[in-house]
Each structure stands twice: as structure tokens, then as C-alpha cells.
Amino acid sequence: MTASPAAPLRALIASGEIVMAPGAPDSISARLVEQAGFPAVYMTGLGATASRLGTPDIGLLTQTEMTEHARNMVRATGIPVIADADTGYGGPSNIHRTVREYVQAGVAAIHLEDQLAPKRCGQLAGIRLIDAEENARRLACAVEARDDDDMLIIGRTDAIGALGPDEAIRRARLYRQAGVDLVFVDGIKTVAEVEAVARGVDGPKVVSIVDGNETVKLTAADLQAMGFSVVLYAVTALFSATRAVADAMAVLKRDGTPAGAGPQHAYGEYCAVVDLPFHQGLDDRFGA
């Protein structure tokens, strides 16, 4: 019997060792995460929006676009994919469909957040929140929609920036009572906020470390000691890639040649990243 997509992630969490899941904006980035040796990859909504539309994460992608993006990432990798599912894209029936679509896409886990539409990145100001008790019912709907499948459901709250750590912790506790597998306080910007969530929220929990704020001082070992089960590095790959491309284009425009554009994969190295030898093998065995 084939193991479910969530089984490896559940085993990793049960081991007690924190799961490091870098964010990937697209499928080739997900391959690079896997090839670097990470045990899981995070399909970040911010990265998906950037790679598909070139716009900020302000709720512009639809459920269909997000699940298609997740499905492609699952196909490209052999490690568990943790996927952003925004707010569930509507009412209870929409949430039910969203869960079933992500199950069919083969993701290991999704997170659902408590923002009002249009949602936005948890690091931005101006977030508006749904009533906590109503959102707990929405999460219970997601858990029921999972049925006999074992995809993990993560209850995310974006309350910390809008209403402070105490309300974020209250919401995380409430969402755990709704039956989710893990809780996630997003929008954390300081080490003190990480510590407050670690103290205030029992059980399996997720933390996101965002490049550019002081939480990068905390190592994965530090976070594991605090009791976190999963750490997401949502923007490290995306921000590194956009900086590298911007620098390379500046050199090309200035010099008229890419010769000084900085470190790049050689063509053969790139072919290894996208697994060209596998496809050449298919042609060798079954082609004309």
C-alpha cells in the first residue's frame, strides 16, 4: 500500500526534530530545496503570487491557481509540500472544496488563516481579521472535509500585528481546540514575539522566520528547544533569486555581456537540477 503524502511529514514531526521547510516560489526552486537536503518544502503564497503574476501577496491568486501551483510543485519533488491555502477562498462549501483540491494535489499539509478578504501577506500592515470563533468553525469544517485522508491542517492566525501577542495566542489555542494538527502565529517580527508564542501555545506549532527582521538570529536548534515543530523560511529563496537576477541584469546592461554577472550554474549543472538525464533515459529506451 502506498504511503500518503502526509505520512513522511507526520513522522518527521513525531520524531521531535524540528522540520526546516524553506519556501519555494516555483517548482524549480522546490527542486533546489530538495537537492539541498531539506526534508520538506513550503509553497509560499507570496512566492506563488510573485512567480505567477509578479505582484505583491494581496489575495490576487484564486483557489484554482494556488492548487495548480501546489500540484506542479508536488510533481517536481519527492519531499512533503506544505502549502499556503489562504483563507479557504470563501464560505464552508469553498473550504470543503479547497481541502479536497489540495488532497488531490498531493500536498502533505495546508494552512488556513483568519483574515478577511482580500487577504494579504502576514508581514504587511492593514490586516483585517475574521471573528475568532467563526474562524474556529471554519477550521473544524476543514478538518471534517479531510475525511479519511491524513493531510495535515494548520490553523494560522495573523492577529499578532493587528491585535498583539495575547490575542494571537488566544486564537491559536482556540484553533487547536477546533481540531487542527498544528497552529501557526504568522507576522512575527521580533525574538520576543517568538518567545511569547513559544511560552503561550502548547503542542505542535509552526513559526515563520522572515529574512530582514531580527528573528533570523534564532537558529533551527533554538526554535526546536522552544518547542516549535516546523519552521518555514518563506522568502529566503525568493529574495535571494530576485537579488541575483537584478544584479546580473544590471551587469549585462552596463557591460553588454554577461561575463561578469556573478556566479551561475553551468548548463550541465542546470540540466542536473531539472533532471534531464531521466528524460534522456526515457528517449533512449522508448524513443524512435
Side-chain angles (χ1 to χ4, degrees), residues 242-265:
T242 54
R243 178 74 272 166
V245 171
D247 288 348
M249 292 303 99
V251 170
L252 178 58
K253 182 67 169 63
R254 183 192 68 208
D255 299 345
T257 171
Q264 299 176 9
H265 276 136

Side-chain angles (χ1 to χ4, degrees), residues 119-241:
K119 59 85 60 187
R120 57 181 58 206
C121 171
Q123 295 289 315
L124 294 176
I127 286 170
R128 298 177 304 136
L129 300 171
I130 192 171
D131 175 78
E133 285 69 24
E134 179 182 353
N135 196 62
R137 294 193 297 273
R138 292 164 63 85
L139 290 171
C141 175
V143 171
E144 181 176 299
R146 176 173 59 187
D147 198 16
D148 292 332
D149 296 288
D150 70 342
M151 181 180 73
L152 288 93
I153 306 292
I154 302 167
R156 167 178 151 177
T157 179
D158 291 66
I160 199 163
L163 301 174
D166 290 345
E167 176 61 11
I169 289 167
R170 185 187 78 84
R171 286 177 175 243
R173 291 171 176 170
L174 183 64
Y175 299 165
R176 186 179 303 289
Q177 293 170 12
V180 300
D181 300 284
L182 301 99
V183 292
F184 173 22
V185 176
D186 197 20
I188 287 175
K189 294 182 173 67
T190 68
V191 171
E193 289 173 340
V194 177
E195 293 170 339
V197 171
R199 289 192 304 269
V201 180
D202 293 331
K205 49 189 171 283
V206 179
V207 64
S208 180
I209 300 300
V210 175
D211 303 62
N213 69 39
E214 72 172 41
T215 63
V216 296
K217 297 175 183 178
L218 298 170
T219 67
D222 294 331
L223 297 166
Q224 180 175 318
M226 291 180 187
F228 289 98
S229 305
V230 178
V231 52
L232 309 175
Y233 299 93
V235 298
T236 303
L238 175 63
F239 287 5
S240 298

Side-chain angles (χ1 to χ4, degrees), residues 263-287:
Q264 299 176 9
H265 276 136
Y267 189 79
E269 293 172 323
Y270 168 80
C271 289
V273 170
V274 297
D275 203 12
L276 178 62
F278 169 77
H279 298 281
Q280 289 175 324
L282 291 178
D283 279 346
D284 291 343
R285 290 184 291 132
F286 305 115

